[in-house]
Amino acid sequence: MSMDIILVQTVVNGLMVGMIYVLMAIGFTMVFGIMRIVNFAHGEFYMAGAFLFAILYGSNGLPFSISVLLAIGATALLGLLMERIVFRKFRGNELNGMIASVGVALILQNSALLMWGSSARTVPPVVSGVLSVGGIVFPWSRLVVIIGAIVAVVSLNLLIGHTRIGRAMRAVAQDAEIAQVQGIRVDVIFPVAFVLGVSLAGFAGVLMAPVLSVSPFIGLAPTLKAFVIVVIGGLGSVPGAVAGGLLIGLIESFAGTFVSASLSEILQFLVVIAVVLLRPQGLLGRKEREA
Amino acid sequence: MSMLQVESLKRSFGGLVAVRNVSFEVNEGDFLGLIGPNGAGKTTLFNVISGVLSPSAGTVRFLGRDISGQPANQTVRQGLSRTFQAATIYPEATVIENVARGTLASNVSGLWGGFLSSKWRVAAKDKASGVLDLFGLTRRAGLKARELSYGEQRRLGVAIALASEPRLLMLDEPVAGLNPEEAAELASVLRRVKSERGVTMVMVEHHMRTVMGLCNRVVVLDHGTLIAQGTPAEVVSNPVVIEAYLGKEAIHA
Amino acid sequence: MNPPTTKPMSYVGIAVAVGLAVLLPWFAPNQFYVHLATVGCINLMLVLGLAIIARAGQLSMGHGGFALVGGYVSALLSMKGWPPLLTLFIAAVVAAVIAAALGWIILRLRGVYFVLVAFAFSQIAVLLALDMSSITGGANGLVGVPPISIFGYVLRAKPQFYPFALVCALTTLLLTWLLYRSPLGTMMAATAENQRLTESSGIDTHRVQVIAFTVGSGIAGFAGALSTHYLRFISPDSYTFWESVSYLTMLVVGGRDGVLGPVVGVVVLTPLPELLRSTEGLQHIIYGAVLVLCLMFVPNGLASLIQTWRSRQRVATTGAARVAEEVP
Amino acid sequence: MLDVRGISVAYGPLTAVRNLSLSVADGAIVSLIGSNGAGKTTTMKAIIGLKPVSGGEIYFDGERIDGASAPRRVGRGIALSPEGRRVFPQMSVLDNLLVGSYSQRDKAHQRKTLDQIYGYFPRLVERRSQMAGSLSGGEQQMVAIGRALMARPRLLLLDEPSLGLAPIIVDEIARIIVEINRDIGMSIILVEQNAKLALNLCNEAYVLETGAVALSGKGKDLLASDYVRRAYLGI
Amino acid sequence: EDSVTIGVHASFSGAGAAFAEGMLAATDFAAEDVNKGGGLEVGGKRYKILIKQYDDRYRAADAVTAMDRLMIQDGIRFVVGPMGSAAAVATKDQTTSGKVITMTLAFTPRALGADAPFAYRPVITTGEFSDPQVAWLMKNTSAKQVVSLLPNDETGQQIGVANFNSYAKAGAKLQVEYFERERVDFVPILTRLLTKADGLELGGNSPTTAGLILKQARELGYRGPVFVTGGDVAAEMLKVAGKDAAEGVYVHLPIDTGLPDTAAYVARFKAKYGPNMNGFSPFFYAGLQMLFTAMKKAGTVDDTTKIATTLDGLSDVPTAMGNAGWTGEQKYGIKHQIDLPFYVGQMKDGVVTKVATCDVNACK
Ligand SMILES: Nc1ncnc2c1ncn2[C@@H]1O[C@H](COP(=O)(O)OP(=O)(O)OP(=O)(O)O)[C@@H](O)[C@H]1O
Ligand SMILES: Nc1ncnc2c1ncn2[C@@H]1O[C@H](COP(=O)(O)OP(=O)(O)OP(=O)(O)O)[C@@H](O)[C@H]1O
Ligand SMILES: [Mg+2]
Ligand SMILES: [Mg+2]
């Protein structure tokens, strides 16, 4: 392969991986932005989505679209359950909410372990083959993920930025008491936001299941990545999550291609520190007024 | 003697210039009023002087020293304290504790002072109860600060600032949220603080009766620019000020 | 300020608790309990370190990183022949210096941003330990770390090591208590509650936070080293993200307000996995549920139950006084 | 329209409002005055539903509402401009205003009210897309009042609207209050420290002291009363 | 009734749980066999075999705590485990001084040694199978410049070094690249590495990871030979990468399902625990069979020193995977490494065919 093809390939691949991260990060950032909970169980919903899809589509052979809908629906239901039982009690209490989410992660992960066993499963590819343009290879399976991610990002951004319910969510995020006096039913907004956030994670899991493998332990890594991305992108900012996800994806891709895999991770963290230092409010976050 | 000198001070936020080329002085013993329409840049000016924000251009001198851009905590230790426009307190601590925390910087030397003795605590409490007394909050000393009403929280904010024993105290709308009687009461407290403790004061205030009653000099800002200064009487009869700030009904309750 | 009101009753309580801890090797049915107690002592130091950082309003999710650094420093030096008793302290200093340098840069960051950078630091520490295999032994870690010896008396077995760990833990506890009572401790609490106001009261809050971060991380370095000499082994997996989270968990479950919280958190959560061991397979689910329930029903930490119980009478009387006062 | 009958409100062991009654007639402006901590804000919170009452009843349009949630009461036509402004700091001025019309789904209505508010506060037009948190205190107050108006309430609760405003704006706000009341016939409860202003504007006024009504009557009458003049006007 | 308890000390939570499950299953079967026959007859008494499991959560400190509990609290003298290398090394002193017989899965050479007379390893590690396999593969293919991708953990680093040496001995050059454990996207690394390689070594990865790498390498257009000289990856890899991508790949076969006893074990596992058997499972079964044999021979269930000495002397013990004995004297200074045959297979049209049978010296 010639150098410029490798370069293009590296960029393209970085964008692909980046979009995968973006998908995780936007759900995470939503839950944080609105409920002020750093949800370390976020990845477990990703795991649940992936597992349900693997079982429905992979093992039971249900049609693709039905499997997708059922898997996401069930993840959403699980999210609703968790919100009602656990997370609603921790709204706005960042520290306790975070630790409680660790507890939930433990519960969900080990329940999956009990129910589905520890070994990794694979899902037959939904689409196969590669799209090859001038020597550059795009595996179709990943293009599907990218398209899915883009759709999710765009619609979420529209929802939050420009709709009545989106505005209500933001208002609740900033001052729940005063939001109530605007006629906003806070007790509805919180679960809606939470379920939306974890459904996105479930959706990510569904999309990724055919590309990667599924086991009860796949949740943590994307959660940590999402955490990193969300913070460098600016908490609660969807465009920030996109920028952060793409940035991390590109770093990973370039460092992996041109330096070495183990350095790539260190490099990512150094970049994170640099970004946070130079723009403490995050790449696209906004500063609050002092005094 | 001039205590605070502000020279050609400027501060902008992105494209918006909130304070533009402002110069004035505060002399020892002054009670300077700073008035101007909402958004004129008064709070921004306070922030720049006290070190919460750094200036975009210009200098601030306090007691002959250039303090522009210096961190707020250092400025406070040199004798310049300020209060905030919004009630700024320690909501979970008791009222007396709130004020005692204000005395820390002047009470112990350095960060490690008083590590093994507890004399400092007694001294801090003593000082704090003195200040509370002055502000009529003694009855509330044991309550958590968040349990106070808004007006009381405002008063508490002033008390905390005073506890650091400043030579120059800058007050951002101290009587906002107090009723006229209470405003008058606080005014008399401030007057007493000034005469008994020799504290020079600068005050941002929209309550003109308080400004007229307390200040010996008034500076008027509009759109970040200094548009007038002089004695209260001069300023309130200045047509530019009436036009920009006071409105037709020249003196308000 | 709020000086912890130490009444004669509390002195008796403290004395009884310390006495029980000291006598443990004699009445414990077997050495497994001594082992658990030793682990508890080490955990207590780590959690106290975290509590000091939290006192100044920051949350370190990279606490394990400093323990890891301390562990490696002490292991490597003592394997070169330095006396472990000395390298323990060097480990603390190295961890503290790194924390100070890092803190100086990152503590301008608030809340979650700080958490992230501390987290990133600990990840980098793990990755470096993995990658610099010529020094750190890579993923295999370092085996054969020498035991601590005090004036020739070698702390090899559990009953010998435990008293030393206990002394270290109690000393840390005492120092933390003194710190909380001191003006600096008050400044930390003030900074945590309202940084802008504290700054405007003439206190350099940035320095206060750096000091808290440095001291807390130094303690973590010491505890990491202590644990390394106890297990006589360290590897990059010894202090991962999950360890950092578990110290936080102990702190939050125990309570953050005083020194009692960390003690309670450690005493409850260190043996909990052992109690649950017989539930094979369900233990993590139960552990997670216990965590969630604790946070739900005792959000201020288990120690707050004790405090409420102790001050119930006091509250009742002042409450009545307050109401009486309100009546015109 | 609003009938508050003998409510009590407590914060833990402390009773902030006790056995307080007041009523607001259709299209009336009612003022509440009183010193700090008298319980004015607490009363407002009890009316809008942010604070549950521990005794007494509240009727709105003849229906009992003290059991209803705040959003439900807003839906019925009560709005609050809270003490200390409480704008949504990280939302633009426009979004703040739009959130105010959350219970008002009609788009055309919304536009009309928005224009009306921009008419009252021209300053907000130029700040439309600025984050509300970076506005000056006075500007934020305008946003808070505007936001409450966006709900097109029939009863508007204004908690210290003149707080921190320049005299010229206070005049402005006073004028707007009168205008709103006159144009739309909106009933208003006004909590004010600026007693002179409040008493001048209102039909009916209540003086609160330590959580209870100490005095009530026509605004003009109270303005003339010796007690009020001494205690609240500083004369 | 008298009983002997076997402790299973492994990582039942976390990513290693599949291994732990395999170890537990082996113990379960071995105990079931004995108990069905009325118990283990030692010195005229019959002992029922009980099992107790201990989770070390894949953390060294937890491993020590769990081992302490197992030894001191529960008084257990026979352990299947520890599982990870860190756990094995960290608990070595404890088990040695407590005279506890352990059967570890740890790949580290330091798990065995003259200083650990009670530690045995019933599984075959890279140290054993790498040399003969690589020599055979290099003889039968034309690869000279081989690249290897491995996770950056103790197992990965261990295998990386062992493989590097084996390839050097066989006259080829191996370039080892470590990646962080959570990585799932290998395209960047492969892009760089495959430009100058004529062979790809995937041994030491989990089956799924090996499959993912293979799939991504083929997507990038790599057509050269692929070797998987470790683990039991064939079935899973086929599933993940697909038949086409897997065609021609050489794989390590720890067991030969052509042997009736081995096939029976696999079937038994499938019936009770599902289709995904960890390839190490039958080895622990074999190890326990040897242990029980030694107990009977030694005539004691308490004197672990005597049992260990007897165990050391066993050879040609019939197990599910053929006759087993101990080896490893040269490498570890103690004969505590199990000696069983292993195999090389090749993927052809979606099925694995055995192409060579090996022992620690050579493949044929
Ligand atoms: N951090 C900031 N970012 C952007 N704009 C700001 C910021 N701080 C202040 N401003 C703008 O600067 C101008 C001056 O604000 P400032 O708070 O100084 O006014 P003020 O004179 O104190 O008004 P008020 O009397 O209403 O409190 C305002 O228009 C405000 O919107
Ligand atoms: N959150 C709270 N917790 C405990 N007590 C409170 C709380 N809020 C208010 N109070 C108490 O209730 C009483 C009434 O307070 P409220 O805020 O209603 O007074 P207000 O009349 O609005 O005063 P101001 O003019 O200062 O705003 C005060 O004594 C106050 O201390
Ligand atoms: Mg201002
Ligand atoms: Mg009020």
Side-chain angles (χ1 to χ4, degrees), chain A residues 289, chain B residues 13 38-44 85 206, chain D residues 127 130 134 136-138:
Chain A
R289 180 180 172 176
Chain B
F13 300 100
N38 297 114
K42 306 178 295 293
T43 299
T44 306
Q85 185 167 352
H206 292 299
Chain D
R127 305 268 151 180
Q130 189 174 333
S134 68
S136 84

Side-chain angles (χ1 to χ4, degrees), chain E residues 239-261:
Chain E
K239 264 205 289 181
V240 178
K243 206 170 81 176
D244 294 341
E247 187 63 22
V249 172
Y250 290 98
V251 292
H252 168 75
L253 290 177
I255 52 175
D256 177 8
T257 43
L259 295 177
D261 283 354

Side-chain angles (χ1 to χ4, degrees), chain D residues 7-27:
Chain D
I7 57 164
S8 298
V9 185
Y11 295 95
L14 181 142
T15 307
V17 166
R18 85 175 55 81
N19 196 20
L20 178 140
S21 303
L22 60 84
S23 62
V24 181
D26 230 329

